[in-house]
Amino acid sequence: MPYITLESHLPGITGLLEYRKDSAQPIRELTQFLLRGPSSLSEGERELIASIVSSGNECRFCTTAHTAAANMLLGENETSDKALKDIATAPVSDKMKALLVIAAKVRESGKSVTNEVIAAAKAAGATDIEIHDTVLIAALFCLYNRYVDGLDTFTPTDPQYYENLADRIVHHGYTRLPEGYDHLKKTISS
Amino acid sequence: MAHINVPEGVPGIRSLVMFRPETGKHLYELAQVLLREDSPLCPADRELIAAYVSHRNHCMFCRNSHAAAARCLYHEAASVVDAVFLDMQEAPISEKLKALLNIAGKVQISGKAVTAEDIEAARQLGAGDREIHDTVLIAAAFCMFNRYVDGLASFTPTNADDYAEMGRRMVEKGYVLPGER
């Protein structure tokens, strides 16, 4: 049972974003811009940053959802499987490895981001905007993970739930559905 | 020197939102909604939660600027801010606010650190769903802001007068983007 009363058909973050819509709005818009807006990082790469940070924070809801989204966007599971286990040997570019290392440091603390990890990313070709967006995506998921787990929201165990959620965030994005979420009432049993 | 090419001499998050206003506008809007708009918690208590979490994350820019805003909002009770930094449990604040700051401190560690007992203690002292929700979200948001500000090594002024001035501006104008008045 979550620590506060949330709609039972909306697990994880989805119930929180409906609980208080005025605070949800800037969080949704920030996420939409960072993960879906114009960027030299692909949507799959940006979802992978979200997934790695959530995994480090042991937030099962966010990890499963964003890994499913990354897999859908990349068209395979191997990259996320390997990256979540070990960034150094993951099948991604050297630039992406350096950015994932920065994201993992941000997760620990802003102060853990050293001149060396920044220099390594720049040497691998990362631009200031890519570094900025990596840091902010990682910081944003430190918000999400704490919001979701700090209020002890419901975490579904059915993989199909996350496939449906990934489908929504890949094909619709992070803005609120115009019709709301009442149509999901029959699909979740909690 | 910041890790990326932000405007020289501009402190903390202001330099970052000037570098990337597309994300900055949503970040400022979130701060405004959480710290100034409708909530059962008064703005002073909300600034104190922000300052307390930033203090625990050792983010000096956010700690000092939100402490200054909280001092401004508490008026003659301004000294509670430093008392909370020194020892939250011994500070001259209500037991309910202590229970909420305790929850905020747990969120700072990890979402998973918040226990049913922490929540129950706050409820016993009169905290409702919305106060608990807003406390958790403010604490989580400052775990983001602190990491953003320090993760990019933005400029942190060391002069106390600079923060007093910032605190006054945050109280008078709220969270408005640099250049918007």
Side-chain angles (χ1 to χ4, degrees), chain A residues 3 58 111 122 132 147, chain B residues 3 58 112 123 133 148:
Chain A
Y3 291 148
E58 298 174 31
K111 296 197 179 304
K122 288 183 180 174
H132 169 278
Y147 193 20
Chain B
H3 288 319
H58 308 289
K112 292 189 178 313
R123 286 199 188 282
H133 169 275
Y148 185 40

Side-chain angles (χ1 to χ4, degrees), chain A residues 29-30 33 38 129, chain B residues 17-27:
Chain A
E29 287 180 13
L30 177 63
F33 183 84
I129 294 265
Chain B
V17 305
M18 286 166 76
F19 176 81
R20 194 95 160 113
E22 302 93 327
T23 50
K25 66 181 178 190
H26 303 308
L27 291 167

Side-chain angles (χ1 to χ4, degrees), chain A residues 44-58:
Chain A
E45 288 172 325
R46 288 177 274 166
E47 288 287 347
L48 195 57
I49 296 170
S51 172
I52 285 231
V53 170
S54 302
S55 168
N57 282 328
E58 298 174 31

Side-chain angles (χ1 to χ4, degrees), chain A residues 36 42-45 47-48 51 63-81 159-174:
Chain A
R36 295 291 179 273
S42 73
E43 293 180 12
E45 288 172 325
E47 288 287 347
L48 195 57
S51 172
T63 307
T64 315
H66 293 281
T67 305
N71 292 345
M72 200 174 276
L73 287 160
L74 297 170
E76 40 88 5
N77 299 357
E78 187 200 356
T79 302
S80 69
D81 279 351
Q160 190 57 49
Y161 170 79
Y162 296 97
E163 287 305 312
N164 295 344
L165 182 57
D167 188 74
R168 194 161 83 226
I169 58 184
V170 166
H171 295 109
H172 170 77
Y174 290 96

Side-chain angles (χ1 to χ4, degrees), chain B residues 19-97:
Chain B
F19 176 81
R20 194 95 160 113
E22 302 93 327
T23 50
K25 66 181 178 190
H26 303 308
L27 291 167
Y28 272 51
E29 194 189 324
L30 179 62
Q32 178 70 18
V33 169
L34 289 179
L35 301 178
R36 292 293 178 276
E37 285 168 24
D38 180 53
S39 170
L41 299 169
C42 68
D45 290 351
R46 287 181 268 163
E47 288 286 355
L48 183 62
I49 294 168
Y52 181 63
V53 169
S54 304
H55 171 73
R56 292 175 55 98
N57 277 326
H58 308 289
C59 179
M60 288 303 124
F61 176 80
C62 297
R63 173 202 191 268
N64 293 340
S65 55
H66 291 282
R71 285 188 200 103
C72 237
L73 289 161
Y74 279 125
H75 304 292
E76 60 276 15
S79 63
V80 301
V81 177
D82 289 291
V84 164
F85 289 159
L86 199 62
D87 184 348
M88 186 272 281
Q89 291 294 350
E90 296 301 317
I93 53 173
S94 71
E95 291 301 312
K96 182 172 108 177
L97 185 54

